[in-house]
Amino acid sequence: MVPDAAGWLGGKSAEMRAALMSSQLIGLLVMRSIIESEALAADHVEQIVAAVAPTIQSLADS
């Protein structure tokens, strides 16, 4: 998965950036699905996207 994303991203440090993006999304998944964090419950999806998207976008654009 990470090598595929790194190829898509291209540029400097693409593999590291792809790994960081994946780790953030996997961490979010774990917190929502396994730990069942109330703060990350389904009714907060728009807030979660608004908070996480800039970081993911920044890594994609680097």
Side-chain angles (χ1 to χ4, degrees):
M1 177 178 148
V2 171
D4 292 340
W8 175 77
L9 288 171
K12 188 176 179 180
S13 306
E15 193 161 337
M16 180 182 67
R17 293 179 7 250
L20 289 167
M21 291 167 70
S22 296
S23 70
Q24 184 164 11
L25 295 173
I26 290 168
L28 181 58
L29 177 69
V30 167
M31 288 296 293
R32 286 191 70 200
S33 301
I34 296 172
I35 297 176
E36 298 180 352
S37 169
E38 276 293 316
L40 301 176
D43 57 336
H44 299 291
V45 171
E46 290 182 17
Q47 290 176 297
I48 295 166
V49 170
V52 173
T55 303
I56 300 294
Q57 189 66 55
S58 174
L59 289 166
D61 294 341
S62 296

